[in-house]
């Protein structure tokens, strides 16, 4: 087999209505090395990561939650969210910016400012499967008390019961995810080339576009690459770095509208790309920094205790001073849009592993990766339940 043909989306009446950008989607990428599209032989049943499998899960397994379509991608695909609990009702009297100027965020959050609202977000980058698989398993826990392995998570159930509202967006960039016709990428030892190629793309000569070079061209013209990777939507835009205050992509608009309606206190934005899991320091309101650091310490300590950090010493991994400030990105925009503390978490990849600090080889098994995902959600929900959310984090001084 010399080449692999990618699934072609139906041309359903698209030519009249589709903008030029969406037509990029219908390009095929026949020169992707077939070896890159190899799956491992035994993919665990809990590893639900392809868009159609996630949609089937939402359709058939979500009973307590409410599944709703919140928007449509640039390529015409549905974006779904799942909702649990009761939303904040009533509106505030001011914009978010106005409430900051007034000195009391309750003027934005409205009469139900005390409610605790959690947003779990995954699949902003389509080649980062861990967060999507983790979100499906979080939904399984919220539905049944156990993940798709049958392992119970009483800490998630207990924390969820103390939170008023949980919203899960399993895949935001459905276009980018659909572009990669794999449920799981074969493990490549300590070589991250294939992960990087599928995630941030390959040039016409097959070499890696690379990170952060992939951010030099937004939107990306797909005719200039061998494979665009899962970063961009079908309009070529990496929505983590959208034109937030100008010409927004439909994925960003859908997320902004969701956040304006729900006003989440805390948003966890799941990505893949680290050697061991860690949250990145967001570029947002300075008043939220202590709360980011509180969550950081809590999560990193718990991950270390679970054997999911580079050493067994929580003091090494739980110091937030090791995180440099991120640049302005989607998490900044969400914060400035609706006041949410939005934290990007980088997961390790199932596709490659690195040694621990002492040189001991460490394999990020699918089970380890699922544990880390669910620990991140568990600690986020518990942090939100215990600290009370946005209106208490930055309460007006008497
Ligand atoms: Zn990412």
């Amino acid at each position: 087999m010399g080449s692999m043909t990618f699934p072609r989306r139906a041309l359903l009446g698209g030519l009249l209505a589709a903008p030029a950008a969406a037509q990029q989607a219908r390009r095929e990428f026949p020169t992707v090395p077939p070896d890159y599209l190899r799956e491992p032989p035994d993919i665990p049943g809990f590893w639900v990561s392809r868009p159609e499998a996630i949609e089937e899960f939402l359709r058939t397994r979500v009973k307590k939650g409410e599944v709703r379509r919140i928007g449509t991608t640039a390529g015409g695909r549905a974006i779904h969210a799942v909702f649990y609990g009761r939303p904040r009702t009533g509106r505030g009297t001011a914009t978010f910016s106005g409430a900051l100027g007034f000195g009391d965020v309750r003027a934005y959050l409205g009469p139900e400012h005390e409610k605790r609202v959690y947003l779990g977000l995954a699949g902003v980058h389509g080649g980062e499967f861990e967060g999507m698989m983790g979100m499906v398993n979080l939904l399984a826990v919220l539905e049944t008390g156990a993940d798709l392995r049958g392992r119970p998570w009483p800490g998630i159930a207990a924390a969820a019961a103390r939170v008023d509202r949980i919203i899960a967006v399993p895949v935001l960039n459905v276009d980018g995810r659909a572009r990669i016709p794999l449920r799981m990428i074969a493990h490549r030892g300590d070589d991250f080339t294939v992960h990087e190629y599928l995630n941030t793309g390959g040039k016409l000569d097959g070499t890696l576009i690379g990170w952060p070079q992939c951010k030099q061209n937004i939107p990306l013209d797909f005719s200039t690459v061998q494979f665009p990777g899962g970063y961009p939507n079908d309009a070529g835009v990496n929505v983590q770095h959208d034109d937030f205050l100008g010409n927004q992509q439909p994925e960003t608009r859908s997320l902004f509208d969701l956040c304006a309606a729900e006003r989440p206190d805390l948003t966890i934005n799941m990505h893949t790309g680290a050697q061991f899991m860690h949250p990145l320091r967001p570029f947002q309101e300075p008043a939220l920094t202590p709360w980011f650091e509180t969550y950081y310490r809590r999560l990193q300590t718990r991950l270390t205790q679970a054997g999911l950090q580079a050493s067994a010493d929580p003091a090494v991994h739980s110091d937030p001073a090791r995180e440099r400030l991120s640049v302005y990105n989607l998490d900044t925009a969400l914060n400035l849009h609706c006041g949410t503390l939005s934290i990007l978490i980088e997961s390790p990849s199932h596709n490659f592993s690195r040694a621990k600090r002492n040189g001991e080889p460490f394999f990020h098994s699918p089970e380890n990766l699922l544990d880390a995902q669910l620990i991140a959600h568990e600690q986020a929900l518990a942090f939100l339940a215990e600290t009370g959310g946005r209106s208490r984090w930055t309460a007006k001084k008497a």
Side-chain angles (χ1 to χ4, degrees):
M1 188 168 67
S3 70
M4 176 69 72
T5 301
F6 274 70
R8 177 192 280 271
R9 275 183 61 75
L11 287 166
L12 297 170
L15 291 180
L16 282 178
Q23 290 180 25
Q24 285 201 142
R26 290 190 270 277
R27 277 181 53 86
E28 292 176 0
F29 304 99
T31 51
V32 172
D35 176 59
Y36 287 12
L37 301 175
R38 188 159 52 80
E39 291 193 320
D42 300 309
I43 303 177
F46 66 79
W47 194 273
V48 178
S49 80
R50 294 193 68 163
E52 53 274 26
I54 293 172
E55 286 192 12
E56 188 192 344
F57 180 92
L58 299 184
R59 203 167 51 242
T60 60
R61 306 284 290 273
V62 173
K63 311 285 186 199
K64 296 178 181 169
E66 179 200 354
V67 180
R68 209 189 296 159
R69 179 174 179 156
I70 60 164
T72 305
T73 65
R77 298 177 176 88
I79 305 169
H80 289 107
V82 187
F83 302 80
Y84 292 87
R86 292 168 185 271
R88 295 185 207 277
T89 57
R91 307 299 308 181
T93 56
T95 59
F96 174 58
S97 174
L100 291 183
F102 173 56
D104 189 342
V105 74
R106 292 176 296 188
Y108 169 71
L109 293 174
E112 297 195 340
H113 54 80
E114 289 193 344
K115 277 193 168 166
R116 295 163 168 88
V117 181
Y118 180 65
L119 172 61
L121 171 64
V124 170
H125 290 149
E128 302 176 2
F129 301 172
E130 284 74 15
M132 307 178 223
M133 173 279 297
M135 201 66 71
V136 170
N137 280 272
L138 173 66
L139 292 171
V141 175
L142 295 173
E143 291 287 328
T144 69
D147 64 27
L148 293 177
R149 296 172 297 191
R151 179 178 160 187
W153 287 80
I156 292 180
R162 296 175 61 198
V163 167
D164 296 281
R165 181 76 158 164
I166 297 175
I167 307 145
V169 178
V171 194
L172 182 69
N173 176 10
V174 192
D175 294 350
R177 180 63 191 90
R179 197 175 296 127
I180 303 171
L182 293 172
R183 184 172 158 209
M184 186 181 246
I185 308 168
H187 194 262
R188 307 277 172 167
D190 64 358
D191 182 357
F192 60 83
T193 308
V194 175
H195 166 80
E196 184 85 12
Y197 180 96
L198 294 175
N199 200 24
T200 59
K203 299 178 194 172
L204 288 173
D205 66 2
T207 58
L208 294 176
I209 294 171
W211 188 99
Q213 290 80 3
C214 60
K215 303 183 188 191
Q216 188 177 0
N217 297 295
I218 301 176
L220 176 67
D221 177 350
F222 290 180
S223 71
T224 65
V225 297
Q226 184 181 77
F227 185 60
Y231 257 43
N233 66 3
D234 277 352
V237 174
N238 170 359
V239 297
Q240 184 69 22
H241 294 288
D242 198 358
D243 182 14
F244 299 110
L245 302 179
N247 181 23
Q248 293 160 347
Q249 292 301 303
E251 295 83 356
T252 303
R253 189 68 252 165
S254 304
L255 192 58
F256 276 23
D257 290 347
L258 174 73
C259 288
E262 297 283 347
R263 289 153 279 163
D265 298 280
L266 177 63
T267 301
I268 296 293
N269 177 9
M270 285 295 186
H271 287 248
T272 296
Q275 296 187 29
F276 291 89
M277 180 176 269
H278 67 116
L280 305 188
R281 180 182 292 278
F283 180 75
Q284 51 197 340
E285 291 172 79
L288 294 179
T289 297
W291 301 102
F292 162 74
E293 295 189 343
T294 301
Y295 174 68
Y296 187 94
R297 288 189 197 94
R298 177 178 189 131
L299 173 61
Q300 295 299 96
T301 300
R302 185 69 198 88
L303 289 169
T304 309
Q305 290 164 347
L308 298 172
Q309 287 292 332
S311 81
D313 183 358
V316 172
H317 307 296
S318 67
D319 181 2
R322 55 202 290 264
E323 298 298 330
R324 284 180 306 158
L325 190 63
S326 297
V327 302
Y328 160 49
N329 59 24
L330 176 63
D331 300 284
T332 317
L334 289 174
N335 169 238
L336 298 183
H337 182 56
C338 69
T340 191
L341 168 58
S342 185
I343 300 176
L344 188 155
I345 297 182
E346 291 282 9
S347 166
S349 170
H350 65 281
N351 172 234
F352 64 95
S353 298
R354 290 285 168 81
K356 290 212 174 200
R357 288 206 165 191
N358 61 7
E360 173 193 328
F362 184 77
F363 171 54
H364 286 293
S365 68
E367 288 76 12
N368 290 154
L369 294 164
L370 173 55
D371 286 343
Q373 290 291 321
L374 290 177
I375 287 170
H377 289 296
E378 176 182 66
Q379 295 304 311
L381 287 163
F383 163 74
L384 177 57
E386 290 168 20
T387 62
R390 181 70 224 228
S391 66
R392 292 175 186 81
W393 295 340
T394 56
K396 187 177 172 66
K397 302 283 186 296

